[in-house]
Amino acid sequence: MTGADGASDLLAHYDRELWFLTVTFFLFSDLITTGLGVASGRVAEAGPLGAPIVARHGMYGMVALKLGVLGLSYAGWRLVPVPERIGIPLGLSVIGVLVTVWNSFVLLTVHG
């Protein structure tokens, strides 16, 4: 067993926790911080997929987009073999945390 295999196995052991982080940050925290910013009228969605969807359908469109990405990611996770599939919730949770931190920074800067 190499170091990389050990890390993959360790992460695969925590797949449920990583999915919890994914739902918490990629879905809920990002939607809440984006919604607060957009509702204030002082912040706009800047994501290449999110911006046109929010402009046309509002936050309901963003919720649908996020649920769609999450559903497709979960389906992909079910198809990819262990331990490689752990990259899906790991990547989404890292993106979710980074976007939440960025959105919080923008909200504090604009409204702070």
Side-chain angles (χ1 to χ4, degrees):
M1 176 185 295
T2 66
D5 290 339
S8 296
D9 291 339
L10 179 64
L11 285 174
H13 182 72
Y14 292 104
D15 60 347
R16 183 172 293 192
E17 290 82 358
L18 285 171
W19 277 110
F20 176 78
L21 290 174
T22 297
V23 170
T24 300
F25 287 98
F26 181 79
L27 184 64
F28 292 121
S29 296
D30 181 25
L31 283 173
I32 290 168
T33 55
T34 298
L36 289 171
V38 170
S40 74
R42 298 177 69 187
V43 178
E45 171 61 34
L49 289 176
I53 289 174
V54 169
R56 184 172 180 133
H57 302 288
M59 285 306 296
Y60 293 113
M62 181 62 92
V63 170
L65 173 65
K66 288 286 199 174
L67 289 173
V69 168
L70 198 59
L72 289 172
S73 296
Y74 183 74
W77 178 79
R78 299 283 299 184
L79 295 172
V80 174
V82 175
E84 290 84 4
R85 71 185 191 173
I86 201 62
I88 295 171
L90 179 62
L92 290 174
S93 62
V94 168
I95 289 168
V97 167
L98 292 174
V99 169
T100 299
V101 168
W102 175 254
N103 286 352
S104 299
F105 173 75
V106 170
L107 287 170
L108 288 172
T109 301
V110 171
H111 299 290

